[in-house]
Amino acid sequence: MPNALSYWERESFFNYDVIIIGSGIVGLNAAVHLKKSAPSLKIALLESGFLPTGASTKNAGFACFGSISELIEQQEKAGLDGLAALIEKRWKGLLKLRNLLGDNTIDYQCLGGYEIFRKGDHLLASTCVAKIEHYNKLTLNIVGPDAFSAKPKKASAFGFGPTETLIENKYEAQIDTGKMMFALIGYAQQLGICIFNNCTVNHIAEETQGLSLVTANGAFSCKKTIVATNAFIKDLIPEVDIAPGRGQVLITKPIKGLKIKGTFHYDKGYYYFRNINNRILLGGGRNIDFKAEETTTFGQTTTVRQALQNLLDTLILPQTHYEIDQEWSGIMAFGKTLEPLIEEIKPNVFCATRCNGMGIAIGSQTGEDVAELLLKNL
């Protein structure tokens, strides 16, 4: 039988003004913004994993706001004004992250981003090239002039297989996801925010004085809570309208003389790759079988693994020997609308979810937005 909690433990470790469930990008940014806005608040984060579970430490480290083909699809969903607002949120989120932690800390490198169109993708390529001027105008006052440009000859410089053209986004960058999350956790702790790992919240109960968050380690009390578990939010709030999306990722061993530098998108962003420490990190392929990848179960599938390896063999590294070093997966959250879901979903229970695969860009802003909503309701 486990030893009972002491009076001291209950008083000092289990009572807070605000508890945030989930210590990923959104949860940590929400906690930091709350603490900086109202320093007297006692704040804790409860994280189910040993490290932040989900996508925050599992992603590819793209500091991006959308390739042309993605923006075309997103404009159909959100409309022109809605898309402009989304791009602004993504860009402001990236700026907030950089300003908070510093470019050196997160290894921010603006090497440019490229959308690749293979031979045979002529129709999609010509459609996207024709839209360059349109999206340069849309992003002019958000990120700067001439974001996008066609670079048909650049493919040979990277050593790619047969390619129709590349569209460059000169403002796209890459970061080191591990360094970013390590620094964000350290920053939150310096502010006096408590983080409890391996502490899954099983149930949120309403009480007369606030809320009780029930875990295997004991019941935590708070006045308000933010659920920032992204795709895993349905475990606590089943009615939320989101769908998980698993992203499978692999990384090669170091490759001598690697020419590829930057962040790259292929097949409307369903595949993505970059360089990191002379390696190629490649992910994607959930469009092969959306239903199979609509899961919160981590893991790899043979079908997606084969598609990723085929892309390495025929497009990315066609003339280069490589070995795969590691594989993993992350879980994203998607919805019918592209805007993050930020609301008080029940009395004193706030949620911030549905980053739609853009967590690095929009996560900081989403965390700040949900913190602002909570502050208005204190």
Side-chain angles (χ1 to χ4, degrees), residues 175-189:
I175 66 167
D176 185 309
T177 295
K179 290 178 181 177
M180 179 266 292
M181 286 300 293
F182 192 85
L184 201 49
I185 289 167
Y187 190 91
Q189 289 172 326

Side-chain angles (χ1 to χ4, degrees), residues 216-246:
N217 306 297
F220 289 78
S221 298
C222 62
K223 294 168 187 170
K224 296 183 186 297
T225 189
I226 295 171
V227 184
T229 55
N230 210 25
F232 298 89
I233 193 169
K234 282 179 172 285
D235 293 342
L236 290 170
I237 311 171
E239 63 270 24
V240 174
D241 184 23
I242 62 126
R246 180 171 59 191

Side-chain angles (χ1 to χ4, degrees), residues 29-64:
N29 275 282
V32 166
H33 189 73
L34 282 171
K35 192 68 175 174
K36 290 173 88 171
S37 302
S40 63
L41 287 178
K42 190 179 178 188
I43 301 169
L45 288 120
L46 305 183
E47 168 57 50
S48 64
F50 171 67
L51 297 174
T53 310
S56 291
T57 54
K58 309 286 189 187
N59 58 67
F62 278 41
C64 61

Side-chain angles (χ1 to χ4, degrees), residues 160-181:
F160 292 148
T163 305
E164 175 89 14
T165 192
L166 300 185
I167 296 178
E168 181 182 14
N169 177 352
K170 70 180 182 183
Y171 297 109
E172 189 166 306
Q174 54 179 246
I175 66 167
D176 185 309
T177 295
K179 290 178 181 177
M180 179 266 292
M181 286 300 293

Side-chain angles (χ1 to χ4, degrees), residues 138-156:
L138 187 68
T139 58
L140 172 64
N141 295 321
I142 302 170
V143 302
D146 304 320
F148 299 100
S149 58
K151 303 281 185 182
K153 295 179 181 176
K154 197 93 183 202
S156 59

Side-chain angles (χ1 to χ4, degrees), residues 248-252 282 299-302 304-306 308-309 324-329:
Q248 299 183 44
V249 185
L250 59 79
I251 191 168
T252 68
L282 166 66
Q300 287 75 42
T301 62
T302 304
V304 171
R305 164 68 187 273
Q306 286 175 345
L308 295 176
Q309 195 155 352
I324 292 169
D325 191 19
Q326 299 173 44
E327 299 174 70
W328 66 89
S329 62

Side-chain angles (χ1 to χ4, degrees), residues 36-101:
K36 290 173 88 171
S37 302
S40 63
L41 287 178
K42 190 179 178 188
I43 301 169
L45 288 120
L46 305 183
E47 168 57 50
S48 64
F50 171 67
L51 297 174
T53 310
S56 291
T57 54
K58 309 286 189 187
N59 58 67
F62 278 41
C64 61
F65 52 86
S67 63
I68 294 278
S69 65
E70 289 174 302
L71 296 179
I72 290 171
E73 287 196 338
Q74 290 167 8
Q75 186 177 330
E76 288 174 4
K77 264 190 170 186
L80 190 62
D81 291 343
L83 179 61
L86 265 174
I87 293 170
E88 188 168 8
K89 273 183 178 285
R90 292 166 183 169
W91 188 247
K92 281 185 174 176
L94 288 169
L95 292 177
K96 284 180 192 299
L97 189 64
R98 293 171 63 192
N99 290 334
L100 184 70
L101 300 176

